[in-house]
Amino acid sequence: EALKFLLEYNDTMLNPNLKSRVNGGKWEPSTVSEVQATNYDALAQAADMLGMSDLYLNEQPA
């Protein structure tokens, strides 16, 4: 489900101009920070499901 969400959310045909809805509000263009936060949350969920939570729990700055 997490990967399906990421694919659909980032697909330019399904979500042109990358719009998102916050707390059930109206659809508005997403900021870069919103896209990053949304992608990060879904990736962390996928990592948890794969037993790889160490990927984000032990983060080191680049």
Side-chain angles (χ1 to χ4, degrees):
E1 286 297 312
L3 293 175
K4 181 178 185 273
F5 167 78
L6 283 168
L7 289 168
E8 291 174 354
Y9 180 73
N10 291 282
D11 187 312
T12 57
M13 296 298 285
L14 296 175
N15 197 2
N17 302 317
L18 203 53
K19 295 179 182 175
S20 58
R21 181 166 57 179
V22 178
N23 296 326
K26 72 178 203 172
W27 290 94
E28 296 188 19
S30 300
T31 65
V32 171
S33 294
E34 289 170 334
V35 173
Q36 287 176 318
T38 300
N39 284 335
Y40 186 91
D41 290 344
L43 288 166
Q45 181 182 10
D48 284 343
M49 288 183 220
L50 294 170
M52 301 172 72
S53 57
D54 60 306
L55 290 174
Y56 68 92
L57 292 176
N58 299 323
E59 287 183 13
Q60 298 288 326

